[in-house]
Amino acid sequence: MKLSLHVWRQAGPNDTGRMEQITATDITEDMSFLEMLDKVNEDLINEGKEPIAFDHDCREGICGMCSLMINGVAHGPESGTTTCQLHMRSFRDGDAIYIEPWRSRAFPVIRDLMVDRGSFDRVMQAGGYISVNTGNAQDANSLPIKKADADAAFDAAACIGCGACVASCPNGSAMLFVAAKVSHLGHLPQGQPERSKRVQDMVAAMDAEGFGACSNHYECEAVCPKEIPADTIARMNRDLLKASLCD
Amino acid sequence: MAGEILRHWYHLPPFPGFPPDLSQYPDMQRIARTVQTSIGAKSLMAVTGIALLLFVLVHMLGNLQIFSEPEKINGYAHFLHSLGPGLWIARIGLLVIFVAHVWAAVRTSRASREARQVDYAYKKKDLATSYAARTMLMSGIIVALFLAYHLMHFTLGWVDFAGSHVGKLPLYTLQDGTEVPDVYTMVIQGFQHPLTAITYVIANLVLALHLSHGAASLFQTLGLRNRENAATFTKLGLAVGAIVAIGNCSMPLAILFGIVG
Ligand code: HEM
Ligand code: SF4
Ligand code: FES
């Protein structure tokens, strides 16, 4: 396959950046999207040009490092799929592909397609954990948890913190991510003692990072590679109101 | 466009004595603290939105009496005016609710506008959202402008495209002999002018659009929506939009086309 890529190039955080047209040749449809970029980068290096900087790590859909806005959709055209798990068979020979970094004030561009998602880490540090005295792990079944709760907690815990929800939200809101992290612990007995403080602190951190305000477009749910449901957002809203007004 | 209006709006200087000092009132402090968060502001918008929506529905039901004989709507208007202080409490309450709704709307819209400073070169595809959801701020602003016109038109009697009732409302004698302002004739004469009727029709379609998203969205905002009931709330929003559109547009249209009056 031969493709016409339009890639965001930005030399550093303070560069203004621009879209650059790059032709990708000898692409096969069993390559992943990132392997396609690897191939393009090899060619660029051979030509003595700067390779395209992009984030990646596990390349198996679990680490949340890969990002990329592909033709106006976060993580590209396949639903429930990270960029690293997207394959070139989703594209046709001769296609034009626009590749851009996540756009959010809270995710400043570091270089080309790489953004700094430290804002997510700071939201996590504000309460995305439980405080326990560590020691041996307790017996597996000593703490009975309803199947429905365990499932709901697990669904929320599947969030890999990629930031696609923010990138695709018309408001640049991080509600799906924060809600996933709040609900994951809020569904479990271990999360109860800090439940009220957790939601208030994490929402305050989210607001302070400069994310926008959710207005229920559900674009996040549509692109989330882990298919986190927008239910978690409703649940966080309820938790926050209860904590902030009653506790 | 909406963004331009916002930009001018939020650079206004702070208002003296505002916000008030709440240190003596812990419950008020709690509420004030909550509405300062993004979720709290959204919730304030939802709660005030419910109140405004209920007002719109009651207001519509009252006005639909225009389809009955003049006695009905004139008696109803007289009854509302006879409430005296009650009427003023309701008016001031509505104003406060309205201002709170707009405050929260401007606050959240501003946060969202600032959250993405560089836009995508390839237009971001819309996968789940709706036209109504994307235009909430603009539809809200149009509704507010219409509201100002509507109050100046029927409540204050300052403006009218036909100039018929401005400053001189005819009187009507109820069956019990009381002389009351003839609201029936004022409305009929008002909507017989095409420009007035069309203004009301367009504004109410915009209001219906605002509510078609708002009436569904508020359940998510207040934490009541989930996978099982999501489709029901979406339909409820559309139903509320349709009811407001049909109910409120039926009056100017029926009068314009001479079906009533
Ligand atoms: C100046 C006029 C108005 C403005 C600027 C305005 C603006 C907004 C905005 C920006 C939203 C947020 C949309 C979202 O987050 O999804 C909203 C929500 C809403 N508005 Fe308005 N609005 C106005 C008037 C009204 C009126 C007159 C009504 C009722 C008759 C109303 C009912 C609602 C409802 C029910 C919501 C849903 C709240 C939620 O999503 O939880 N609004 N409005
Ligand atoms: S909620 Fe989904 S889209 Fe958002 S960070 Fe988590 S995995 Fe990514
Ligand atoms: S590289 Fe780890 S999720 Fe894509």
Side-chain angles (χ1 to χ4, degrees):
Chain A
M1 283 201 274
K2 188 171 163 184
L3 301 160
S4 172
L5 306 184
H6 299 261
V7 185
W8 181 259
R9 303 305 301 266
Q10 182 173 337
N14 299 320
D15 184 17
T16 39
R18 70 219 64 86
M19 295 300 284
E20 186 178 294
Q21 199 277 334
I22 300 171
T23 305
T25 48
D26 299 329
I27 304 301
T28 62
E29 51 179 39
D30 53 343
M31 282 181 179
S32 76
F33 199 83
L34 298 186
E35 282 165 346
M36 181 275 289
L37 288 179
D38 290 339
K39 167 74 176 60
V40 170
N41 274 348
E42 277 171 27
D43 294 346
L44 286 174
I45 292 168
N46 287 338
E47 292 167 28
K49 295 185 184 153
E50 273 295 314
I52 304 162
F54 62 92
D55 266 327
H56 60 100
D57 187 16
C58 71
R59 300 209 176 192
E60 54 183 349
I62 54 172
C63 74
M65 274 311 280
C66 59
S67 43
L68 305 191
M69 204 72 180
I70 302 167
N71 285 349
V73 181
H75 289 304
E78 305 293 332
S79 69
T81 306
T82 53
T83 297
C84 60
Q85 298 272 282
L86 175 68
H87 284 80
M88 295 314 292
R89 66 182 79 92
S90 300
F91 299 89
R92 303 257 155 282
D93 186 36
D95 273 0
I97 307 179
Y98 285 74
I99 311 171
E100 296 175 72
W102 290 166
R103 291 296 185 196
S104 161
R105 182 174 58 160
F107 292 163
V109 174
I110 302 170
R111 187 186 175 118
D112 295 344
L113 303 171
M114 295 171 85
V115 296
D116 176 1
R117 281 167 284 189
S119 49
F120 269 13
D121 297 334
R122 292 186 289 277
V123 171
M124 288 300 279
Q125 283 157 10
Y129 51 80
I130 51 171
S131 309
V132 287
N133 298 320
T134 49
N136 283 342
Q138 62 178 330
D139 276 356
N141 289 324
S142 63
L143 203 60
I145 296 168
K146 270 193 280 178
K147 171 86 171 114
D149 287 345
D151 285 351
F154 194 78
D155 282 352
C159 168
I160 54 176
C162 62
C165 42
V166 176
S168 60
C169 176
N171 301 315
S173 163
M175 290 281 276
L176 193 62
F177 165 76
V178 181
K181 298 305 179 190
V182 165
S183 309
H184 149 46
L185 298 169
H187 277 295
L188 298 174
Q190 294 93 329
Q192 298 314 310
E194 288 160 307
R195 184 166 169 180
S196 165
K197 187 169 159 19
R198 173 180 309 112
V199 67
Q200 295 190 69
D201 290 351
M202 290 183 79
V203 168
M206 168 181 88
D207 290 351
E209 291 296 338
F211 292 106
C214 174
S215 62
N216 309 333
H217 291 279
Y218 310 124
E219 290 289 314
C220 52
E221 190 181 45
V223 297
C224 173
K226 298 296 146 186
E227 301 180 320
I228 309 284
D231 297 25
T232 52
I233 297 181
R235 200 186 134 89
M236 172 165 73
N237 290 345
R238 209 161 60 221
D239 267 15
L240 186 276
L241 289 177
K242 182 170 173 296
S244 182
L245 291 173
C246 310
D247 289 347
Chain B
M1 171 64 181
E4 288 304 307
I5 296 174
L6 256 188
R7 215 204 312 264
H8 290 290
W9 207 339
Y10 62 74
H11 286 303
L12 289 177
F15 197 68
F18 192 87
D21 177 21
L22 296 175
S23 46
Q24 300 301 309
Y25 311 97
D27 285 344
M28 290 307 291
Q29 253 179 324
R30 237 170 225 287
I31 294 174
R33 189 158 33 82
T34 305
V35 300
Q36 299 289 333
T37 67
S38 55
I39 295 177
K42 271 289 295 176
S43 306
L44 178 66
M45 198 152 38
V47 171
T48 52
I50 293 173
L52 293 170
L53 168 60
L54 291 178
F55 169 77
V56 164
L57 292 176
V58 171
H59 184 66
M60 181 180 86
L61 287 177
N63 291 345
L64 283 172
Q65 296 176 84
I66 197 79
F67 288 109
S68 187
E69 62 270 28
E71 182 75 19
K72 278 275 161 51
I73 198 157
N74 284 340
Y76 171 68
H78 178 63
F79 160 72
L80 289 183
H81 279 268
S82 70
L83 295 176
L87 181 65
W88 277 103
I89 291 172
R91 281 174 170 168
I92 292 167
L94 271 171
L95 181 69
V96 170
I97 289 170
F98 186 79
V99 169
H101 188 81
V102 176
W103 174 81
V106 171
R107 188 188 178 288
T108 43
S109 304
R110 172 176 50 179
S112 298
R113 198 182 137 77
E114 288 173 351
R116 178 162 301 127
Q117 294 178 331
V118 182
D119 209 348
Y120 294 106
Y122 188 104
K123 192 179 173 314
K124 198 193 82 67
K125 285 196 184 120
D126 290 327
L127 302 173
T129 184
S130 64
Y131 181 74
R134 280 182 280 119
T135 53
M136 284 303 271
L137 180 63
M138 201 63 229
S139 58
I141 291 172
I142 293 174
V143 169
L145 294 176
F146 166 71
L147 197 63
Y149 160 72
H150 176 51
L151 291 175
M152 287 194 288
H153 180 215
F154 278 151
T155 309
L156 299 166
W158 290 350
V159 293
D160 184 61
F161 289 123
S164 56
H165 75 272
V166 175
K168 47 174 168 44
L169 209 53
L171 288 181
Y172 178 89
T173 316
L174 291 179
Q175 271 160 14
D176 64 8
T178 348
E179 289 219 313
V180 297
D182 191 354
V183 172
Y184 182 85
T185 304
M186 169 183 87
V187 173
I188 299 287
Q189 285 181 354
F191 287 158
Q192 276 168 349
H193 195 283
L195 207 52
T196 310
I198 288 167
T199 307
Y200 274 77
V201 169
I202 292 174
N204 276 289
L205 291 177
V206 174
L207 173 63
L209 186 74
H210 192 82
L211 291 175
S212 70
H213 175 71
S217 173
L218 65 92
F219 292 99
Q220 168 79 357
T221 303
L222 297 177
L224 302 170
R225 179 182 174 279
N226 57 42
R227 247 167 296 191
E228 285 75 41
N229 62 25
T232 312
F233 288 140
T234 307
K235 283 187 207 134
L236 180 74
L238 294 176
V240 167
I243 290 170
V244 169
I246 295 170
N248 277 349
C249 295
S250 69
M251 295 174 264
L253 287 177
I255 294 166
L256 180 66
F257 292 112
I259 302 166
V260 178

